[in-house]
Amino acid sequence: MPVQSASLRLTLAALLACSAAPAFAAGGGGGGGGGSMPSQSAPQYDPAVEYRKGITALEAKDYKAAKMAFDHVIAVAPSDANSQYLAGMARAGLKDWKGARRFFEKSVKLGPNFVPARSQLGVAYAMVKDKAKAEAVLADLKVMAGKCASECSDAANLKSGTDAISAALSSAPQASTATSMLFANAAAGDGAYLEAVGLINEGRYDAAITSLRTAQISFGPHPDILTYIGFANRKMKRFDVAETYYRQALAVAPHHRGATEYFGELMVERGDLAGAKVMLAKLDSQCSFGCAEAEELRRWITAGKSPHS
């Protein structure tokens, strides 16, 4: 099913601001969720809403509230590197450096090239007196900075990161409050998301993924973003990566119709018609009067292969 920008019935910012509407209830395309009520086993928290709460709390230096919000996000979406990083930042704000270190380690494991998390991990090692590990992280960042030069997008983060670790190692007063926050407002996130939709429609999938990751900084593990990252990877035949993102989207929003449809299409492309039929049955159970996602997946299954390949 081609990605349709018209499927963005509400901007992400509106979704996050609208507390009266059920989470992810809009329909259509890769950006639509299911219309059914959440099941008994559905996540207790809306991770996108909790993520924005956490960022707002961090900006206000309300570290206890930030910790709680990001813990709620991670309970639903443990594979989100941004959320792990920000959970660490909340603990750093509370001077819980051992706790912060654990979350920075998880973030770096999930995103090895995520410079802010690597930088804060080095600071955390220094603050818990693990000098050898702090120096190792500092050395790695200096190597990255040498390869990056002044033009690359991570140049500023690499410089602030090396400065922060060096300050922490020297026990400078600013070390304990060194931050490398990745805050972005909802409007910026919406802009990046809409840009990504346009890039996908143009077939520029790598560029779309870059824009979607920018949107993730604003919105965290939002199922629409996860679904489109999966879609873009799938179009580039990165099937295993695509499956990972579809599964993440469905873990966050089990009734997300776009993710269910696209996961079913991926199964058709892999020759797993039985699995695709399971996805179709899920859509049929949600769409009492039919829906575009179910009909499109039905066409894929009938064809037995990707109609767009």
Side-chain angles (χ1 to χ4, degrees):
M1 181 176 183
V3 178
Q4 300 173 2
S5 58
S7 69
L8 189 62
R9 305 297 173 80
L10 295 173
T11 66
L12 296 180
L15 278 171
L16 296 179
C18 184
S19 59
F24 315 124
S36 302
M37 292 298 291
S39 69
Q40 295 273 331
S41 61
Q44 182 177 358
Y45 300 103
D46 179 334
V49 172
E50 293 297 312
Y51 186 92
R52 288 304 303 175
K53 283 183 183 176
I55 286 182
T56 299
L58 279 179
E59 290 175 323
K61 295 183 169 39
D62 185 351
Y63 300 116
K64 284 187 177 181
K67 175 180 176 291
M68 182 179 296
F70 289 117
D71 285 355
H72 290 166
V73 176
I74 290 168
V76 179
S79 298
D80 186 67
N82 286 330
S83 300
Q84 295 283 356
Y85 162 68
L86 293 170
M89 293 304 298
R91 285 161 172 81
L94 293 167
K95 304 296 189 290
D96 175 13
W97 288 104
K98 289 184 179 180
R101 176 191 60 190
R102 291 196 302 273
F103 285 92
F104 293 143
E105 286 174 339
K106 291 175 184 176
S107 181
V108 169
K109 184 176 181 180
L110 291 165
N113 296 318
F114 188 16
V115 173
R118 289 173 72 92
S119 300
Q120 291 305 310
L121 177 57
V123 171
Y125 283 145
M127 297 304 291
V128 298
K129 309 302 182 185
D130 194 335
K131 183 178 179 182
K133 286 185 178 180
E135 289 178 339
V137 174
L138 179 59
D140 287 344
L141 291 181
K142 287 181 176 178
V143 170
M144 293 172 69
K147 294 178 180 178
C148 167
S150 60
E151 307 85 41
C152 86
S153 59
D154 277 326
N157 281 330
L158 286 164
K159 184 180 186 311
S160 64
T162 54
D163 289 347
I165 297 171
S166 297
L169 284 167
S170 66
S171 300
Q174 65 267 31
S176 63
T177 56
T179 59
S180 182
M181 302 291 192
L182 280 184
F183 294 144
N185 61 39
D190 276 340
Y193 181 83
L194 291 171
E195 178 182 55
V197 171
L199 290 167
I200 287 175
N201 283 329
E202 294 170 8
R204 298 169 59 191
Y205 302 116
D206 268 326
I209 290 171
T210 298
S211 292
L212 288 164
R213 294 203 185 284
T214 299
Q216 272 189 307
I217 294 170
S218 291
F219 299 112
H222 194 291
D224 292 356
I225 296 172
L226 295 169
T227 297
Y228 276 135
I229 294 176
F231 181 91
N233 277 287
R234 192 181 114 221
K235 296 301 286 187
M236 292 187 289
K237 307 301 181 184
R238 300 171 185 166
F239 290 158
D240 289 345
V241 176
E243 178 177 346
T244 296
Y245 281 98
Y246 290 151
R247 288 189 181 278
Q248 288 180 25
L250 289 169
V252 169
H255 301 296
H256 194 275
R257 294 200 304 266
T260 305
E261 177 204 336
Y262 287 162
F263 196 5
E265 291 174 5
L266 172 60
M267 291 173 175
V268 173
E269 289 187 285
R270 284 174 153 176
D272 181 9
L273 293 181
K277 289 176 181 177
V278 171
M279 295 296 106
L280 178 60
K282 287 180 64 176
L283 287 171
D284 282 338
S285 70
Q286 295 175 45
C287 305
S288 301
F289 302 100
C291 59
E293 294 86 358
E295 295 313 308
E296 182 69 8
L297 181 54
R298 204 182 315 278
R299 284 193 288 272
W300 278 64
I301 292 171
T302 298
K305 63 179 183 179
S306 167
H308 305 299
S309 61

